[in-house]
């Protein structure tokens, strides 16, 4: 039967091409997402500044967080803890350098500090000169820097003896160029080297090192030395090989985690869509061969032989498609990665990987879809009794099976449960975590019963269709109802495309709009001062508050902190904002229900009322925190605030929060104008007051635009991945409709012989395509509503999502246009010849 299967493929080009397209694009998308996931799992970035050191030691970026309230834990069972990732750089004490130098096999140890600056108008990173050996940099001209001197790269065109202005930590200083250095490799960020004293002062973290480079003695085993260093550097990360790049580019590890999530969601969604697309395509292809299969059953072919033949044909097509997808998958994956880098989602230093495993996973997922679809199709054909085969060959009517009923019930039950959880348990934007998966369950449930639902809808729509199109529309409805299983093969992908696109895009636009609303409502500032080099000087607040027309000014720092007592189970921490007490009330619009924000100094905190209620804390109580760099601190509650649900943040003094961020300083300052002062005039006064400082001054619109841009990055990722999946379903819709229409050449010929004109046949086909599109759009809209409505009720207090109606109109417009084109073009082709020739053909 396998030999027969291969021979029949030559005579079934339409079914072959349709199945090939469905399998190929499914495997291609999954394979490309696999490449993104492999890149994220590896999280590798080539070391640049630290390339010469075979071993690099960095601070541990995780801490052991209990899975339950520590008060209920007994003993040191590690299974009761999980690693929480710290969002800020963890620095090392300089004292560790001398301890590491005493480890056997170590020849030298060099501490590395790195801080952003602007030198001669160009952004760069500052370092101590002794860390130049980690690249290594070598002097091209001049001498090493002393206090008040710098060594620059040859690229700026400076020479020894020149003066250069350096902006760092909110101040500008003039340094003499002592020398010019060059590196043997390309470095992404420019470097400026200082004396050890100046570097420690300008970094803002004296006595600390960002990383430590370790050199080994000739002939020493690097891995053996690494193991000994790990024993000495308890709690630190000891890295070798390409892992050293993470020490230099910590954003690579964070971005790697994001890539894993992105690829996992997109890949999983693609597999689900591929399963339905391949199944519907293969099922349609098998239905179109019903006469052939019926004849084979009538002449003695056993059900097992028939199943083997159908399965063999499908697997042969699947193997060809997946083989081609495995070859092209890395190219699509690399293109997607390039788009992520270009739009700021992933850093350019992250290395893209696409090994054999993603190709195998993509091929395996596609072949699994082919196997399941072929098994179901072959089983259906094999169950027909020979005496019934020829009678059923014309139209397939039976579709409902116990498995479909059970699976549909489970999916609808799961979707309902998620909707209840979304409404009853979730709050704010976090409700998307349950609303998102709900659309998948609703879509699968509807797909299981699409033929039945489509038939009911066709019956309902027959009267409007008759009024609209007369006899042609009536005939289209009758044809659709008679071949409802065939029509369902096209309805399902349209439903998936409309449902998934509408739900995901409107969930994203609603979250984005809510975040923008929360930000604009909470911020009362009329102007913002931003840093051009590593942060704002803390002394700048007093200078700005003294400017005429300023009602208040406050530093603005953001980070994530972890609540340890009272215990909070979130492994991502709580959003925290650092403010200046004297200007907090003037620049943010947070309602204070207890206490006063002017008391937000030293080790204090303003607690959102939700946290205060949940943890039974009020003004005067103490809260234990772990800051973003892992530093534990006890703070006193001085205020309780009422904030928008789902957007609550802990308010801390900027002087407490900023030193424990990677930058070490506040990156922004919010300024509020007095009542009788025009905001535009205030902005000009601030520019005059900060002239000569490495800062930028913008109005309120600039502040909001910057926030919108940050939000747009996450939205762009969602749109890209959803768009990729929608493109696949669009291809499958066209594929299915073209296959279904082309095979009706004989039917169209008979219709023309009985008196219909070619124009009437085309109008009928157009009405059929429109009816299929309308059913798919309605079902897709219902699927999307099952996810969107519960989320919007919780997050926005509305039944309708936030976002332009043009989004939905564009989605359904594309779906309708695609269905009509994919129906009319092949129908026009099928009716080009003589009617008698078409009527006597086999429909191939």
């Amino acid at each position: 039967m396998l030999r027969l299967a291969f021979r029949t493929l030559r005579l079934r080009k339409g079914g072959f091409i349709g199945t090939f397209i469905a399998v190929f694009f499914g495997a291609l998308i999954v394979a490309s997402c696999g490449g993104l996931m492999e890149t994220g799992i590896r999280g590798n970035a080539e070391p640049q500044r630290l390339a010469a050191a075979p071993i690099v030691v960095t601070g541990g970026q995780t801490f052991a967080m209990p899975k339950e309230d520590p008060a209920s834990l007994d003993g040191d069972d590690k299974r009761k803890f999980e690693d929480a990732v710290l969002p800020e750089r963890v620095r090392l004490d300089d004292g560790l350098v001398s301890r590491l130098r005493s480890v056997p096999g170590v020849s030298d140890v060099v501490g590395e500090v790195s801080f952003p600056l602007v030198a001669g108008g160009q952004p760069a990173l500052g370092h101590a000169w002794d860390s130049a050996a980690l690249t290594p940099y070598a002097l091209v001209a001049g001498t090493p820097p002393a206090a008040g001197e710098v060594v620059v790269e040859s690229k700026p065109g400076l020479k020894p003896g020149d003066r250069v202005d350096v902006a760092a930590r909110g101040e500008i200083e003039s340094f003499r160029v002592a020398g010019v250095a060059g590196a043997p490799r390309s470095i992404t960020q420019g470097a400026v080297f200082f004396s050890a004293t100046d570097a420690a002062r300008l970094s803002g973290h004296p006595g600390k090192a960002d990383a430590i480079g370790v050199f080994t003695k000739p002939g020493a085993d690097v891995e053996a030395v690494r193991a000994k260093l790990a024993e000495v550097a308890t709690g630190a990360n000891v890295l070798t090989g390409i892992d050293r790049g993470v020490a230099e580019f910590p954003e690579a590890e964070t971005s790697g985690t994001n890539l894993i999530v992105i690829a996992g969601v997109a890949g999983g969604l693609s597999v689900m869509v591929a399963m339905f697309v391949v199944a519907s395509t293969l099922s349609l292809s098998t239905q179109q061969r019903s006469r052939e299969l019926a004849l084979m059953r009538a002449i003695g072919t056993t059900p097992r032989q028939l199943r083997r033949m159908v399965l063999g044909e499908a697997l042969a097509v699947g193997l060809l498609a997946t083989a081609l997808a495995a070859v092209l998958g890395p190219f699509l994956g690399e293109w997607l990665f390039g788009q992520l880098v270009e739009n700021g989602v992933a850093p350019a230093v992250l290395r893209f990987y696409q090994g054999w495993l993603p190709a195998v996973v993509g091929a395996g997922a596609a072949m699994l879809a082919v196997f399941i679809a072929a098994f179901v199709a072959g089983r259906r054909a094999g169950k027909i009794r020979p005496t019934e085969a020829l009678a059923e060959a014309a139209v397939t009517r039976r579709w409902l099976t116990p498995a479909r009923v059970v699976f549909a019930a489970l999916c609808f039950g799961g979707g309902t449960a998620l909707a209840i959880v979304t409404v009853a348990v979730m709050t704010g934007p976090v409700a998307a975590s349950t609303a998102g998966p709900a659309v998948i369950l609703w879509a699968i449930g509807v797909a299981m019963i699409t033929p039945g639902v489509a038939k009911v809808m066709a019956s309902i729509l027959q009267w409007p269709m008759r009024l609209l199109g007369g006899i042609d529309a009536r005939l289209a409805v009758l044809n659709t109802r008679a071949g409802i299983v065939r029509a369902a093969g096209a309805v399902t992908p349209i439903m998936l495309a409309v449902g998934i696109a509408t739900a995901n895009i409107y969930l994203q636009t609603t979250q984005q709009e809510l975040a923008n609303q929360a930000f604009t409502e909470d911020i009362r500032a009329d102007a913002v001062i931003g840093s051009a080099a590593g942060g704002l000087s803390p002394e700048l607040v007093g200078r700005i508050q003294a400017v005429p027309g300023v009602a208040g000014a406050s530093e603005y720092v953001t980070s994530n902190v972890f609540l340890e007592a009272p215990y909070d189970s979130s492994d991502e921490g709580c959003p925290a904002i650092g403010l200046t007490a004297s200007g907090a009330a003037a620049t943010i619009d947070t309602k204070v229900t207890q206490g006063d924000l002017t008391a937000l100094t030293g080790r204090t905190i303003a607690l959102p009322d939700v946290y205060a209620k949940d943890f039974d804390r009020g003004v005067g109580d103490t809260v234990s925190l772990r800051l973003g760099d892992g530093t534990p601190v006890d703070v006193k509650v001085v205020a309780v605030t009422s904030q928008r649900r789902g957007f609550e943040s802990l308010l801390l003094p900027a002087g407490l929060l900023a030193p424990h961020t990677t930058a070490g300083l506040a990156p922004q300052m919010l300024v509020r104008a007095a009542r009788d002062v025009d905001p535009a005039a205030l902005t000009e006064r601030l520019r005059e007051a900060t002239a000569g400082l490495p800062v930028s001054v913008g109005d309120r619109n600039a502040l909001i635009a910057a926030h919108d841009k940050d939000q747009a990055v996450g939205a762009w990722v969602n749109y890209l991945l959803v768009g990729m999946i929608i493109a696949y379903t669009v291809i499958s819709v066209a594929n299915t409709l073209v296959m279904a229409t082309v095979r009706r050449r004989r039917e169209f010929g008979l219709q023309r012989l009985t008196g219909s004109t070619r124009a009437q046949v085309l109008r009928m086909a157009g009405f059929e395509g429109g009816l299929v599109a309308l059913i798919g759009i309605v079902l897709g809209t219902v699927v999307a509503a099952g996810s969107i409505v519960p989320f919007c009720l919780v997050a926005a207090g509305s039944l309708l999502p936030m976002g332009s109606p043009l989004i939905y109109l564009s989605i359904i417009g594309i779906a309708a246009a695609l269905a009509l084109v994919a129906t009319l073009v092949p129908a026009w082709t099928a009716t080009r010849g003589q009617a008698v020739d078409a009527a006597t053909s086999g429909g191939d």
Side-chain angles (χ1 to χ4, degrees):
M1 295 304 293
L2 291 178
R3 182 183 301 176
L4 181 60
F6 283 107
R7 289 181 176 179
T8 56
L9 286 177
R10 295 185 294 110
L11 304 176
R12 300 293 173 186
K13 296 183 180 64
F16 171 88
I17 294 173
T19 305
F20 181 89
I21 291 174
V23 177
F24 168 72
F25 281 102
L28 183 65
I29 293 175
V30 176
S32 63
C33 289
L36 294 180
M37 180 168 287
E38 183 178 0
T39 301
I41 292 173
R42 291 177 180 268
N44 289 337
E46 288 283 357
Q48 297 178 11
R49 269 275 302 136
L50 308 177
I55 304 174
V56 176
V57 181
T58 65
Q61 289 294 145
T62 62
F63 75 97
M65 182 176 179
K67 296 180 181 179
E68 52 188 279
D69 193 337
S72 64
L73 297 179
D74 52 346
D76 297 325
D77 189 350
K78 294 183 178 180
R79 292 173 299 179
K80 297 179 181 178
F81 294 83
E82 60 184 348
D83 287 337
V85 179
L86 295 167
E88 312 291 349
R89 180 186 283 276
V90 178
R91 294 178 169 86
L92 301 166
D93 291 328
D94 281 346
L96 182 59
V97 172
S98 59
R99 298 203 304 272
L100 296 179
R101 189 173 282 117
S102 63
V103 172
V106 172
S107 62
D108 194 13
V109 179
V110 180
E112 154 75 352
V113 294
S114 179
F115 52 93
L117 54 82
V118 175
Q122 298 296 320
L125 292 176
H127 313 276
W129 172 248
D130 58 357
S131 69
L134 298 174
T135 306
Y137 275 88
L139 283 172
V140 177
T143 61
E149 296 180 333
V150 294
V151 169
V152 298
E153 291 184 292
S154 55
K155 287 181 288 187
L158 297 171
K159 61 183 183 299
D162 291 344
R163 305 291 299 186
V164 62
D165 289 334
V166 175
R169 292 187 64 78
E171 303 288 348
I172 296 179
E173 294 185 47
S174 179
F175 289 84
R176 176 183 177 275
V177 177
V180 177
R185 56 181 56 83
S186 176
I187 306 297
T188 303
Q189 191 85 28
V192 177
F193 295 96
F194 299 80
S195 67
T197 303
D198 285 340
R201 174 176 58 85
L202 293 175
S203 70
H205 301 282
K208 298 283 187 179
D210 293 346
I212 299 174
V214 180
F215 294 88
T216 58
K217 294 178 179 179
D221 185 343
V222 173
E223 287 302 316
V225 174
R226 188 201 67 79
K228 295 175 183 177
L229 292 171
E231 296 176 1
V232 176
T234 306
N237 294 326
V238 183
L239 309 173
T240 59
I242 198 171
D243 291 339
R244 294 170 298 161
V246 176
E248 188 173 350
F249 306 105
E251 66 272 18
E253 188 170 14
T254 304
S255 298
T257 303
N258 294 336
L259 279 180
I260 294 173
V261 175
I262 292 171
V265 172
L269 195 58
S270 299
V271 169
M272 187 276 294
V273 173
M275 291 283 284
F276 282 102
V277 170
V278 174
S280 63
T281 303
L282 195 56
S283 177
L284 178 61
S285 177
T286 304
Q287 290 170 24
Q288 292 175 344
R289 300 175 54 192
S290 55
R291 185 178 299 276
E292 171 194 332
L293 299 177
L295 286 171
M296 294 181 68
R297 285 289 289 122
I299 62 174
T301 304
T302 65
R304 182 180 179 185
Q305 290 174 320
L306 211 57
R307 287 195 298 267
R308 288 178 59 191
M309 186 189 74
V310 173
L311 187 61
E313 290 177 353
L315 293 179
V317 175
L319 286 172
L320 290 174
T322 53
L324 183 59
V327 174
L328 299 180
F331 296 99
L332 178 59
E334 191 167 6
W335 180 83
L336 289 173
F337 179 73
Q339 295 301 305
L340 295 175
V341 170
E342 186 177 331
N343 288 273
V345 180
V349 295
L350 196 64
R351 181 193 286 184
F352 176 75
Y353 286 92
Q354 179 90 34
W356 59 269
L357 188 58
V360 171
V361 172
M367 291 304 297
L368 178 63
V370 171
F371 178 82
I372 294 175
F375 179 80
V376 172
R379 186 170 178 270
R380 171 71 184 93
K383 288 176 64 176
I384 300 177
R385 293 194 299 267
T387 55
E388 299 175 350
L390 294 178
E392 291 202 7
V395 179
T396 302
R397 294 185 176 87
R398 286 189 284 182
W399 58 272
L400 190 62
T401 63
R404 279 178 175 263
V405 173
V406 172
F407 206 53
L410 291 174
C411 290
F412 288 141
T416 303
L418 286 177
I420 294 173
V421 170
T422 300
V423 174
V425 179
M426 297 297 178
T427 58
V430 74
S433 60
T434 52
V439 70
I440 305 300
L441 292 175
W442 287 114
I444 295 175
V446 171
M448 291 294 101
I449 59 172
T450 296
V453 177
K455 190 170 185 177
V456 172
M457 291 191 63
S459 299
I460 296 173
L461 295 172
Q462 62 178 324
W463 305 112
M465 291 284 289
R466 289 181 181 181
L467 291 176
L468 181 65
I471 188 64
D472 296 327
R474 181 180 181 183
L475 188 56
V477 172
L478 293 175
N479 280 340
T480 302
R481 293 180 63 188
I484 197 63
V485 176
R486 178 191 63 202
V491 168
T492 297
I494 293 176
M495 177 270 294
L496 290 173
V498 172
I500 292 174
T502 303
N504 281 278
I505 292 177
Y506 275 117
L507 285 175
Q508 181 65 54
T509 57
T510 302
Q511 291 183 82
Q512 192 173 350
E513 183 65 26
L514 288 172
N516 290 337
Q517 284 185 4
F519 183 79
T520 54
E521 290 173 3
D522 289 346
I523 300 297
R524 301 177 61 192
D526 296 306
V528 58
I529 300 176
S531 168
L536 301 173
S537 171
E539 291 76 21
L540 186 61
V541 176
R543 182 172 175 176
I544 296 301
Q545 288 176 337
V547 173
V550 172
S554 171
E555 296 169 283
Y556 191 78
V557 187
T558 59
S559 184
N560 267 37
V561 302
F562 299 85
L563 274 169
E564 294 193 307
Y567 171 73
D568 179 47
S569 60
S570 173
D571 60 355
E572 296 181 355
C574 306
I577 297 175
L579 302 168
T580 304
S582 58
T587 54
I588 64 170
D589 194 18
T590 299
K591 181 180 179 182
V592 180
T593 58
Q594 297 179 37
D596 194 343
L597 292 182
T598 57
L600 205 61
T601 59
R603 295 191 172 189
T604 56
I605 188 173
L607 209 59
D609 52 5
V610 175
Y611 288 73
K613 180 180 179 181
D614 291 345
F615 300 131
D616 193 24
R617 291 292 193 276
V619 174
D621 293 331
T622 299
V623 175
S624 296
L625 302 177
R626 188 176 291 267
L627 300 178
D629 64 350
T631 302
V633 60
D634 291 335
V635 292
K636 180 181 178 182
V637 179
V638 296
V640 176
T641 63
S642 176
Q643 302 177 32
R644 180 188 278 253
R645 293 295 297 273
F647 293 93
E648 297 89 356
S649 295
L650 307 178
L651 304 183
L652 297 167
L656 172 64
L657 188 62
H660 299 280
T661 62
T662 299
L665 292 173
Q668 291 180 321
M669 183 182 299
L670 306 180
V671 185
R672 175 76 172 176
R675 287 187 178 182
D676 57 345
V677 176
D678 180 61
L682 174 68
T683 301
E684 289 302 317
R685 292 180 188 177
L686 293 176
R687 290 195 176 104
E688 295 173 1
T690 58
L693 295 179
V695 300
S696 60
V697 180
D699 57 14
R700 179 180 175 84
N701 292 332
L703 181 66
I704 295 173
H707 181 267
D708 289 346
K709 184 178 180 180
D710 292 338
Q711 294 291 315
V713 171
W716 180 88
V717 175
N718 193 28
Y719 297 152
L720 173 67
L721 297 177
V722 170
M724 188 170 60
I725 295 170
I726 298 309
Y728 174 44
T729 55
V730 162
I731 292 170
S732 70
V733 169
N735 182 31
T736 303
L737 287 173
V738 169
M739 285 177 59
T741 307
V742 168
R743 292 288 297 182
R744 298 174 63 189
R745 181 166 177 256
R746 184 170 182 271
E747 174 191 334
F748 292 156
L750 289 173
Q751 188 174 345
R752 292 167 64 190
L753 288 176
T754 57
S756 297
T757 65
R758 187 186 182 197
Q760 289 176 319
V761 173
L762 291 177
R763 282 199 298 270
M764 180 201 71
F767 279 115
E768 284 188 40
L771 182 58
V772 166
L774 182 58
I775 294 173
I777 289 170
V778 171
L779 293 180
T781 303
V782 172
V783 165
S787 174
I788 292 174
V789 171
F791 171 75
C792 291
L793 281 173
V794 171
S798 169
L799 291 174
L800 298 178
M802 298 177 176
S804 172
L806 291 177
I807 296 173
Y808 177 70
L809 294 177
S810 298
I811 292 172
I812 63 175
I814 292 172
L818 177 70
L820 288 174
V821 171
T823 302
L824 287 174
V825 172
W828 179 81
T829 303
T831 56
R832 286 184 63 186
Q834 294 294 323
V836 65
D837 295 333
T840 56
S841 70
D844 296 328

